[in-house]
Amino acid sequence: MTKAQARKYGQEALASSGISNAPSESLWLLESVTGETASKLLASQGDELTAEQEKNFRDKIAERISGRPIQYITGKWEFYGREFYTAEGALIPRPETELLVDFALEYLKGRENPVIIDLCAGTGCIGLTLASLIPGSKVYLVEKYDEAFEILAKNARGVKNAVIIKGDILEDIASLGLPECDLLLSNPPYIKSSEIPALQTEVLREPVTALDGGEDGLTFYRALKKIIPSLCRGAAAFECGEDQGGDLMNMFPGSRLLRDCYGNVRVLVEGEDRC
Ligand code: GLN
């Protein structure tokens, strides 16, 4: 099978199973099997796949059709122009979460050596992106679950100004030894427990612990609100669900909401008037 034939086969198989982004997904899976760039694959005419590559590719297409998210099949995904390891134990980095990074860069502009905390860090995409983009910063990332922590540790390798800490923010935060920060960030679980069963097949393959925000979806915001006075000398910014703006504005008086790349309410910013 040539690379061009493989791409076409993948595209047709994915499309006929109702996957909307079939041409791109087929190409991304072929990239991950061959290790070649998309542009090289698109230009290749008669290049043959090895027998092993063809088998891998067919297996990956079948996995995708079974509902496994492409970001777990490739094992890597891009966030804010950087690649992060992904696996079933951690939430997949999403484009709308880039808004938290945009806000952080804007807010921290001109501050020397800012201290940043990222709670419920998962893959670490938020905090590690900031650690790389602000070399003078020190970034503390907290994650509770073993599997997610392993992925976080892999992503944090070589990022010298990042410190990863295993811990539960709903338990005793003081025991984690975090310093005061200039910016507290979090993309906590925020979906109502009752809404979890109705999520998209792909989302249901993500860890429920990264999605389930309790009965009203607000459990983690209540914990974050309690944490702010002891840890935060600057602002706090949290990702939230598009329908949670009202509840959160009530919970955090004087805060404001930001909209994501899709035009939905996605981030709550609190405490911008603190130093
Ligand atoms: N944005 C995710 C979703 O809609 C939820 C992420 C989260 O709970 N932090 O599936």
Side-chain angles (χ1 to χ4, degrees):
M1 188 183 247
T2 66
K3 290 171 188 170
Q5 285 166 340
R7 201 154 52 76
K8 188 153 177 285
Y9 154 78
Q11 181 174 327
E12 286 170 3
L14 295 174
S16 64
S17 331
I19 290 167
S20 56
N21 208 6
S24 305
E25 293 209 6
S26 176
L27 183 59
W28 293 330
L29 290 175
L30 199 58
E31 275 186 281
S32 89
V33 163
T34 58
E36 287 173 17
T37 60
S39 53
K40 185 150 184 245
L41 289 168
L42 287 168
S44 83
Q45 293 297 326
D47 277 14
E48 290 280 332
L49 290 177
T50 65
E52 195 191 342
Q53 286 174 334
E54 181 177 334
K55 180 176 183 314
N56 278 342
F57 184 66
R58 287 181 187 276
D59 287 350
K60 289 187 177 197
I61 293 288
E63 275 181 55
R64 182 66 193 96
I65 288 171
S66 81
R68 188 175 184 206
I70 186 156
Q71 298 90 339
Y72 290 151
I73 304 175
T74 57
K76 290 187 249 178
W77 201 246
E78 197 190 288
F79 178 84
Y80 221 89
R82 299 181 146 63
E83 270 200 345
F84 289 88
Y85 290 109
T86 49
E88 261 77 3
L91 194 77
I92 295 165
R94 287 163 160 72
E96 60 267 33
T97 303
E98 294 185 347
L99 178 60
L100 269 180
V101 177
D102 285 335
F103 170 76
L105 291 173
E106 185 62 35
Y107 176 76
L108 294 171
K109 207 181 271 172
R111 282 184 200 233
E112 281 195 22
N113 308 322
V115 176
I116 302 166
I117 296 177
D118 177 0
L119 300 177
C120 309
T123 57
C125 63
I126 301 165
L128 294 174
T129 299
L130 289 168
S132 305
L133 292 175
I134 314 176
S137 66
K138 183 109 187 189
V139 184
Y140 295 82
L141 301 100
V142 179
E143 172 54 47
K144 170 181 175 184
Y145 293 97
D146 289 342
E147 279 178 61
F149 192 79
E150 238 176 73
I151 300 160
L152 173 62
K154 237 169 116 178
N155 283 322
R157 220 171 276 155
V159 187
K160 293 198 178 64
N161 52 334
V163 179
I164 56 172
I165 298 171
K166 190 133 189 294
D168 184 348
I169 73 154
L170 299 183
E171 296 293 322
D172 183 15
I173 193 92
S175 68
L176 302 180
L178 291 163
E180 264 206 334
C181 68
D182 299 288
L183 181 59
L184 179 71
L185 298 169
S186 182
N187 175 16
Y190 55 68
I191 297 175
K192 286 185 188 147
S193 305
S194 60
E195 290 174 3
I196 300 278
L199 294 172
Q200 230 185 310
T201 323
E202 281 82 358
V203 181
L204 287 171
R205 298 285 191 109
E206 297 186 81
V208 69
T209 47
L211 298 167
D212 191 338
E215 198 178 335
D216 62 359
L218 302 173
T219 300
F220 286 81
Y221 301 108
R222 279 189 279 273
L224 290 164
K225 187 179 159 103
K226 280 195 206 140
I227 289 168
I228 288 174
S230 62
L231 273 190
C232 224
R233 59 181 176 228
F238 309 136
E239 183 169 320
C240 65
E242 55 201 73
D243 55 352
Q244 290 174 321
D247 285 339
L248 290 178
M249 293 283 283
N250 287 335
M251 194 186 277
F252 297 91
S255 56
R256 68 184 173 114
L257 299 166
L258 309 179
R259 284 178 188 270
D260 66 17
C261 47
Y262 304 114
N264 296 320
V265 164
R266 188 59 62 199
V267 165
L268 176 96
V269 177
E270 189 274 347
E272 284 172 289
D273 50 348
R274 282 190 295 270
C275 88

